[in-house]
Amino acid sequence: MSRPAPHIDVRPIAEADIPDWIRALNTGFLRTPDVAETEIADRSSYIVPARTLGAFDAGRCVATFRSFAQEITAVGGAPVPADAISNVTVTPTHRRRGLLTRMMAHDLAAAKERGDVVATLIAAEYPIYGRYGFGPATWTAQWTIDVPRTGLDPRWAGPEDGGRIDIVDGADVRKIGPELYERVRRAQPGAVDRDERWWLVNTGVLRLDRSPWTEPFFAAYRSAGGEVQGLVSYTADDHWSEGKKQPLNTAGVNWLIAASPDAERALWRYLCSIDWIMKVKSGWRAPDDLLPFFLPDPRAAGVTSQADWLWVRILDVVRALEARTYEGQGALVLEVVDAGGLTGGRYRLEASAEGSSCTPTKDAAELTLDIADLGRLWLGDESVVRLVALGLVREERAGAAREADALLRTSRRPWCPDMF
């Protein structure tokens, strides 16, 4: 049970609190608690003090919480304003005192007041955030490719569609990457926007003490018409068999974005064609990524990990459900239970290819679900039928769950390429 701690002050930080806030953050994430001047300068350059919370006991920061403005792509491509939550810690000496609950309540209330439609986060631990109304809305997977087993021609010399692959540098990526990523993310439900700082960090211009930098290789795919349609960032190790008789090197993908299947195929095949590379580690990809099926032998790509990724908390049921598109046509009455008191109630959803509407109603509910489970369903990945089987959603009318799946589920799974 949590022990109330009213004497602990939970509040937005002031500029003078930043060093102590960073120390508490590093302690919570098991990093060295030392606070470098460079980290103070870096954090000060982008955090918004009004959206950066700390819990203070006798003047010392013992818990941290930060949010920032974000756009997330809804099903159908609409950008939706989100409250992105990060840097959540509670110092080990102050656990079970309700500090996270107080910080979360403060932040979500402010997000609701601002007009954010959803809140998002990536959960370090699965059990924590469901009680605040968050549900896992996207998943991610990693593959390891056994290159000799792929069946690809080791003499492969380039794309077969008339396109080409070029080695580029960080400056090139900063020029061509943002526009390419915008095209990609507006077509990918679950993707979030990237600011200029993301590109500076991921091309080595801005180097962080807490994230040692290894200069990567960058490669770009250009279509036959010369348009950049794909980019990849990767590193390679230097590992040989005993006596240096056999190369056993691995290429590790930091990130790969592609605006077309041709671009994606060409970049994966390029990575598998590099001399001395025996394995390729994919990095985090969509759980239904096409990667294995770009290879003559899909079994050459084995899943090495799979996990929940982006969690969503609905702050406005009406705007969230009206922001997305639907693959079917029909109407449902949903009873949404929100213990946080932000957006619960009974709503009638009507959807078709022409558009959708969501309105409060007094009609009898056909499905009853928690706000966290609506978050799981919003991007189209989860099945209502599954949630009914798990006892998380109650079907008030026989057949309503299958009808909901026909409306809500998407033909490809949502994916968030980024950690934040």
Side-chain angles (χ1 to χ4, degrees):
M1 297 292 290
S2 297
R3 293 172 291 160
H7 66 284
I8 297 177
D9 186 21
V10 172
R11 58 171 173 79
I13 66 171
E15 185 175 350
D17 297 318
I18 291 176
D20 191 33
W21 187 90
I22 295 172
R23 178 199 52 74
L25 176 70
N26 290 345
T27 299
F29 282 124
L30 300 181
R31 306 182 189 126
T32 174
D34 295 341
V35 180
E37 291 297 323
T38 52
E39 183 166 13
I40 294 172
D42 176 54
R43 295 278 186 187
S44 300
S45 71
Y46 67 86
I47 64 172
V48 179
R51 296 183 65 163
T52 306
L53 304 178
F56 294 84
D57 187 358
R60 185 177 179 85
C61 188
V62 294
T64 63
F65 189 110
R66 181 175 73 90
S67 71
F68 58 95
Q70 184 184 75
E71 272 190 0
I72 181 171
T73 303
V75 177
V80 171
D83 175 53
I85 293 170
S86 187
N87 298 150
V88 177
T89 72
V90 176
T91 301
T93 54
H94 286 70
R95 295 177 65 240
R96 308 302 297 165
R97 303 192 191 187
L99 300 182
L100 174 55
T101 297
R102 291 169 63 187
M103 293 188 295
M104 184 68 77
H106 182 286
D107 183 79
L108 293 182
K112 176 76 172 179
E113 180 68 22
R114 276 193 308 271
D116 292 333
V117 176
V118 299
T120 61
L121 56 81
I122 294 174
E125 298 178 54
Y126 193 98
I128 295 175
Y129 294 100
R131 65 181 185 266
Y132 302 117
F134 289 83
T138 79
W139 290 68
T140 190
Q142 295 186 90
W143 280 265
T144 297
I145 305 172
D146 183 350
V147 173
R149 186 181 172 183
T150 60
L152 293 170
D153 185 346
R155 300 166 298 177
W156 181 81
E160 299 171 355
D161 58 2
R164 60 179 288 168
I165 289 180
D166 297 311
I167 298 294
V168 296
D169 61 21
D172 296 319
V173 170
R174 290 189 295 277
K175 291 177 184 176
I176 62 180
E179 188 276 333
L180 172 64
Y181 180 71
E182 278 301 295
R183 280 190 280 141
V184 171
R185 72 115 172 171
R186 291 192 181 280
Q188 176 60 64
V192 298
D193 59 323
R194 292 176 178 174
D195 59 14
E196 182 184 11
R197 185 175 185 276
W198 189 97
W199 296 99
L200 295 176
V201 170
N202 284 275
T203 58
V205 173
L206 182 57
R207 303 191 181 187
L208 309 178
D209 294 340
R210 60 186 178 276
S211 303
W213 176 253
T214 299
E215 187 71 26
F217 302 96
F218 300 104
Y221 167 85
R222 289 180 169 87
S223 68
E227 181 185 37
V228 175
Q229 292 190 346
L231 278 171
V232 63
S233 167
Y234 66 96
T235 58
D237 64 13
D238 184 19
H239 182 49
W240 291 68
S241 65
E242 189 174 352
K244 210 171 178 68
K245 296 177 181 178
Q246 177 80 20
L248 300 172
N249 300 320
T250 297
V253 174
N254 299 316
W255 49 266
L256 184 154
I257 55 174
S260 70
D262 285 343
E264 200 172 346
R265 177 187 295 107
L267 288 172
W268 287 120
R269 291 194 171 190
Y270 160 74
L271 291 165
C272 291
S273 75
I274 301 171
D275 285 343
W276 302 352
I277 295 297
M278 296 293 108
K279 292 186 183 297
V280 176
K281 293 187 174 181
S282 72
W284 296 110
R285 305 296 303 164
D288 62 346
D289 202 87
L290 299 175
L291 165 58
F293 301 99
F294 289 140
L295 310 174
D297 184 352
R299 292 184 183 180
V303 175
T304 49
S305 66
Q306 183 169 314
D308 57 282
W309 198 246
L310 184 76
W311 289 55
V312 167
R313 205 284 185 203
I314 305 293
L315 298 173
D316 187 324
V317 170
V318 171
R319 291 173 65 203
L321 292 180
E322 290 185 343
R324 56 158 292 173
T325 60
Y326 298 85
E327 299 199 0
Q329 179 173 334
L332 284 168
V333 178
L334 307 174
E335 182 77 39
V336 180
V337 179
D338 184 357
L342 294 172
T343 188
R346 189 174 300 173
Y347 302 90
R348 181 178 180 83
L349 172 66
E350 298 188 36
S352 70
E354 286 70 43
S356 64
S357 66
C358 181
T359 54
T361 183
K362 295 182 179 180
D363 294 347
E366 296 169 299
L367 292 170
T368 298
L369 69 165
D370 188 80
I371 192 68
D373 295 308
L374 187 61
R376 296 169 75 138
L377 294 164
W378 181 60
L379 289 172
D381 193 46
E382 186 55 89
S383 159
V384 180
V385 171
R386 276 168 41 100
L387 296 182
V388 169
L390 291 167
L392 298 173
V393 172
R394 189 167 69 246
E395 191 177 45
E396 310 290 3
R397 176 179 61 79
R402 291 188 179 279
E403 293 174 22
D405 277 350
L407 280 180
L408 296 168
R409 299 202 79 182
T410 53
S411 52
R412 289 292 302 274
R413 298 181 71 176
W415 177 49
C416 178
D418 290 341
M419 166 77 79
F420 56 87

